[in-house]
Every structure is written in C-alpha cells, then in structure tokens.
Amino acid sequence: MSHLEVTDLAVSFGRQQRPALRGISFTLGERERLGIIGQSGSGKSVTALAVMGLLPVHARVTGSIRLAGRELVGLPEREMRRLRGDEVSMIFQEPMTALDPTMKVGRQVGEVVALHHVERRGSIHDEVLVWLGRVGISDPARIADSYPHELSGGQRQRVLIAMALANRPGLVLCDEPTTALDVLVQRQILQLLADELADRAAVFVSHDLAVVRQVCRRVAVMLDGEIVEQGEIDEIIAAPRHPYTQGLIASARIDQVPPGHLLPSVADFYPGTRS
Ligand SMILES: Nc1ncnc2c1ncn2[C@@H]1O[C@H](COP(=O)(O)OP(=O)(O)O)[C@@H](O)[C@H]1O
Ligand SMILES: [Mg+2]
C-alpha cells in the first residue's frame, strides 16, 4: 500500500488565473524517496506545501492527498496541526527564515520535541542535545545555547533537519534542502538526509537532477504546474520522453555525479566532518 497517494491535485490562488497546479498524481511507498524536479516556478513548493496543509487560506485545493489512508484535502486545520511534525514534516530551502531569529536554537528544537509527546523519560533538554548530536552537530550544548545567526548555514540546516525528524514522522518533505549551501556542505547534508530518511517516506524537491539522483530512485518532472514525466530516474535518463526532460538531462552533467542510494559516507572523504 502507498504511504502517500496524491491524485489529480489542483491548486489555484485566484479566480481568474490558471491553477498553479493541475492534475498532479503520484504515489510513495512507506520507505520510498521520490524526487520532484523542475525549474523555478513550476509548482514544486506548492505541491509540498499542499501535502503539509500549509498553503495560504485563500488557496483552492481540489483532488486527493491520502497520507497513510487518511484524506488531507479538506481536513480542518486543528486536525492537520496534529499530523504536522508527528506524521509529516518539512525541511525548507532557507534555514534562516524557517528558524525564529529571536529564540535560542535549543529552545526551538525543544518546542518541537515537547509538542506532541508530553510524557517522556528524561528531560526535553537532554533529548534536544541527543538530536543535535545525531544530525552531526559537534558541540550540541554550545549550539543549543546559540541564536540562529550565530550558526553557519550548514549548522542551521542540521538544526532544521533535527526539528523535522524529532517526532519520527513517517513522511518528510525536503524542499531544496541543500540549494542555499555551498558544495561541500551540500554533500554532507545530502549524506545526512540519505542516512536519516532511509527508514521512512520522503519527497525530495530540487531543481537539480544530479542532486535528486544521489538520493532517489524515482523522480517526477514538473513543468508549469504539471508533472510531464515520472518514473525510475535511470530509465528516464536513458530515454527521456518529454522535450523538457531531454533538455534537463542534457544540461545536468549527471555523468559526473555518483548515482544511487548507497553513497559512500562523507566521513570517508572528509574525516572528522560528521563527528
Ligand atoms: N501564495 C501564493 N499566491 C499566489 N501564487 C503563488 C503562491 N505561491 C506560489 N504561487 C505561484 O505558484 C507557482 C508555483 O510556485 P512554486 O511552487 O513556489 O514554484 P517552485 O517550483 O519554484 O517551488 C508560481 O507561479 C508561483 O508564483
Ligand atoms: Mg520552491
């Protein structure tokens, strides 16, 4: 059975305008990762936000989004809020804007940890430090006591990943999680995501096919609000049907990037980077 089943999803923001999304359908197994690629403005973020139930209230959503069998389209916000974090979470492109600049990092992670599970053994603070360590932050106590602006971009993204994983949701939506980072940090974060998302379902949004190919087996190609092609990445690379996909592959220089899910650990290349 599919963990996530999106059927004929459409989203429009204004009466006159053409819907921003049209006829979006895809499925995702329980431990599967699906890449979504497409140029800027093609509807990747709107697709992810629709699954999260985070579109603005004036957005009109039709079609079906089923998460573990439950219909999300039309679900009241108070019920959606209960699912967010617990069953579905999201990692955004720009970690600075997703974090509260006025609050120390440890408290922000702590709020997520405390949100859905009131009774736990051990303190929230201890669990925050465990999560920060788990996402590769080398000095969790110091980082927990820092404000977001005192962290590097890579550290901020690690914090966001900790917040997205902290309640062990079955589905994680990653919206361009490495786009704002420089190349070395990008690799480290990709490796972290590949490790941490191995046992759950994930959607991995990127404009970069080479990035998606490193962490996903299947991909959906979006163009102007529609999915023009989807399937096994290697099959699509070998025989792209849509002209847009053909152009994307021609320019992606994918031959220079290692494919597959079993990336060697970044620590093998850059000793010390993950401890
Ligand atoms: N809140 C909004 N109100 C009106 N239009 C929006 C809103 N959010 C996104 N759009 C439009 O929807 C389309 C898809 O945007 P988006 O999903 O952000 O693209 P991307 O693939 O770059 O993530 C764009 O044309 C964008 O302008
Ligand atoms: Mg986007």
Side-chain angles (χ1 to χ4, degrees):
M1 199 192 78
S2 298
H3 188 62
L4 177 68
E5 194 168 351
V6 174
T7 312
D8 206 21
L9 175 69
V11 174
S12 45
F13 291 102
R15 264 174 227 282
Q16 271 76 38
Q17 283 154 288
R18 196 158 68 124
L21 292 186
R22 299 175 307 281
I24 300 296
S25 298
F26 62 86
T27 61
L28 191 59
E30 259 179 25
R31 286 182 177 70
E32 197 179 14
R33 279 175 259 166
L34 173 74
I36 298 183
I37 54 166
Q39 64 203 17
S40 177
S42 57
K44 307 181 299 295
S45 293
V46 171
T47 302
L49 291 169
V51 175
M52 278 296 277
L54 285 178
L55 289 171
V57 282
H58 67 275
R60 214 165 57 84
V61 182
T62 60
S64 169
I65 301 171
R66 283 187 165 272
L67 179 65
R70 184 207 292 234
E71 180 60 58
L72 302 187
V73 174
L75 200 68
E77 168 60 19
R78 79 187 121 73
E79 283 180 49
M80 193 65 223
R81 201 177 301 146
R82 242 183 281 146
L83 300 183
R84 261 184 240 127
D86 251 8
E87 298 192 21
V88 54
S89 69
M90 187 158 170
I91 299 164
F92 298 90
Q93 172 171 348
E94 211 346 288
M96 195 59 206
T97 53
L99 290 166
D100 182 340
T102 68
M103 206 193 282
K104 283 182 177 174
V105 162
R107 225 182 110 196
Q108 297 192 53
V109 179
E111 286 192 348
V112 176
V113 168
L115 199 56
H116 294 270
H117 302 276
V118 204
E119 295 164 66
R120 286 189 203 254
R121 277 174 286 138
S123 77
I124 300 267
H125 185 67
D126 290 342
E127 192 163 337
V128 166
L129 298 188
V130 167
W131 272 107
L132 291 179
R134 177 160 171 174
V135 296
I137 282 177
S138 52
D139 188 352
R142 186 175 59 82
I143 295 299
D145 198 36
S146 304
Y147 289 97
H149 73 266
E150 298 175 291
L151 275 54
S152 70
Q155 285 171 325
R156 284 197 286 264
Q157 196 56 293
R158 288 179 195 276
V159 169
L160 277 195
I161 291 168
M163 289 166 74
L165 299 175
N167 287 303
R168 304 176 195 282
L171 171 64
V172 179
L173 308 167
C174 309
D175 190 359
E176 309 247 15
T178 63
T179 303
L181 306 171
D182 62 53
V183 173
L184 172 58
V185 181
Q186 196 172 64
R187 274 196 75 151
Q188 296 170 356
I189 297 292
L190 270 186
Q191 181 66 58
L192 172 65
L193 287 172
D195 293 344
E196 290 294 340
L197 300 178
D199 61 347
R200 69 196 81 212
V203 172
F204 203 95
V205 169
S206 176
H207 63 282
D208 188 338
L209 180 61
V211 166
V212 162
R213 190 179 180 226
Q214 291 178 66
V215 286
C216 302
R217 218 173 248 142
R218 268 197 320 129
V219 70
V221 182
M222 288 193 74
L223 178 64
D224 193 21
E226 292 177 297
I227 292 177
V228 293
E229 185 159 3
Q230 63 176 309
E232 301 277 326
I233 295 182
D234 287 337
E235 287 174 21
I236 287 179
I237 287 171
R241 289 192 208 139
H242 195 279
Y244 173 70
T245 318
Q246 290 164 4
L248 198 73
I249 287 163
S251 60
R253 316 205 320 183
I254 38 171
D255 49 326
Q256 297 180 15
V257 178
H261 314 235
L262 301 174
L263 271 176
S265 170
V266 167
D268 297 340
F269 294 100
Y270 308 105
T273 50
R274 292 204 67 207
S275 57

